[in-house]
Amino acid sequence: MFTVKAVLFLLNLYIHLICGIPHLSKRAPESQGASIANQIQRDLGSRLSPGAMIYLAHDSPYQYANIRWSAAQHPDFAAVIVPAIDGDVAAAVRHANRINIPFLAVNRGHGTTIDMNNLQHGLNIYLRNLNSITIAPDGKSATMGGGVYGDQVIKYLAADGKIAATGSCTCTSVLGPALGGGFNRYQGFRGLMTDNILSLTLVTANGTILTTSPTQNPDLFWAMRGAGHNFGIVTSFEYRIFEDETPVWWVGSLIFGKEGMDDVFRVLGEFNVNEGGEQDRRVTFYTVFAADSEGGDAEPLLIVWIYFAGSAFDALAYIQPLLALNPKKSTNQSVLYTELADAVGTGMNSPVCSHSGTSAATFPVGWKEYDVQTIHQVYDLYAELLSQHPDFKDSVMQFEAYPMAQVRKVKEGSTAYAHRENGLLVSLLALYNPSSANDNIAHDYGTKIRKALLPQEQQLNAYVNYAYGDETTEMIYGYEPWRLEKLRGLKKEWDPRGVFGWYHPIR
């Protein structure tokens, strides 16, 4: 018998993938770190606007600004600058270049690539105060600061009856996901987050402030939408917004045992992209393998969540075929979109958005359709991970199925995002107690599961925002020779020294 508490526990396991768990970044060693920090405070301070701030390791805000999603990623910062205007960001970049130290723009701290662990004695350019939102007079776009985040944007726009494409977890930033593509719950209606960007104001590698759009620096605008972390620090951006035509959403969950796997994925395949079909734009499926909350030797469970933009009656076409498979437990409710994240445990006040010390690593693979035989192999590897390594009991194996019709309406080569053909995002999220031994176990099983997910002839397509950090440039940014040549040429032009090299750098 599954209690409500058990169902919520299992839901929280999945939500770790969307929201993550913050952890403090490493503090620079006293000798070198203190020297760099004092130099930054002495020389950079006079170049900043009156509203900007600099924090060193002994300041309380320094600790807060360095809270990260996961303990496995720990960039090492000597100091934190909190810009008040875009000119402060430019001054910080120029100063870091002048004294030859690395820097990283930080908002909510959710990036999980291991590339960040190579950053030593650097400068944290903390964007949180660049958080303005101004709706255009025609109500079709809004100009937002580079530090805005999901919950802020949703609530601000809702007051005017508007919505925008934001990530599933409201404690994450908007730009972090958007610059790498940006899957989202409104994807069936509005496409990827990156496709909703109209223009970007950014600071380049040499500290210049400029604007990119289809008419201003268009090649750079192309690169920013899909590989944007490689080219600049966005201080503000113009973003499409829309009338909220689906204010009520229906959400449900169904829990199955291993024995139901074949039938569940058969039904999901009929709803999704198998045989070249198109998933209903109103519905998104999140399916995971998760540990049984009863513990012991129980086999992992199969859990399906359905997010539907509409009424419970309209959602029946998706819930009834799965209910006919006799799940062990099911739940459902209708909520306003503004309350959706809180209702499913991905809101600002949810436990998974609070501070903790768990490590996280993600290993994504893009799929075109479900392959049940392969899914069985993956299930067995996942079950082995849980049984042999108890520290990984909160890990989940995820199959995300988003509506793709709007995504594919955008021409394949019109942005740097390369994986529009992949309708399914499959990934292991390893969640574990921090240790170097567990880091190795996570990588080992992530590699095994990826190998199982990919036939020998299939190339690995790794979603930018989930990529682990050991992937090649081709795996993340696409295999087409013209695309790689263009990206590498633009990287050489706009960032010849590779100062933006801490989040899946183009090589």
Side-chain angles (χ1 to χ4, degrees), residues 44 47-52 81-93 125:
L44 177 58
R47 296 182 171 92
L48 300 178
S49 72
I81 170 181
V82 185
I85 59 174
D86 53 7
D88 295 329
V89 178
V93 169
I125 302 176

Side-chain angles (χ1 to χ4, degrees), residues 3-4 70 100 123 217 249 277 340 345 401 426 437 460 464:
T3 65
V4 172
S70 160
N100 197 30
L123 177 62
N217 302 297
W249 285 57
L340 178 59
V426 185
L460 170 60
V464 182

Side-chain angles (χ1 to χ4, degrees), residues 395-415:
S395 300
V396 292
M397 186 70 214
Q398 178 194 349
F399 304 81
E400 299 182 60
Y402 292 88
M404 295 297 291
Q406 291 297 319
V407 175
R408 291 172 180 148
K409 281 184 178 179
V410 177
K411 292 182 179 179
E412 185 72 32
S414 63
T415 72

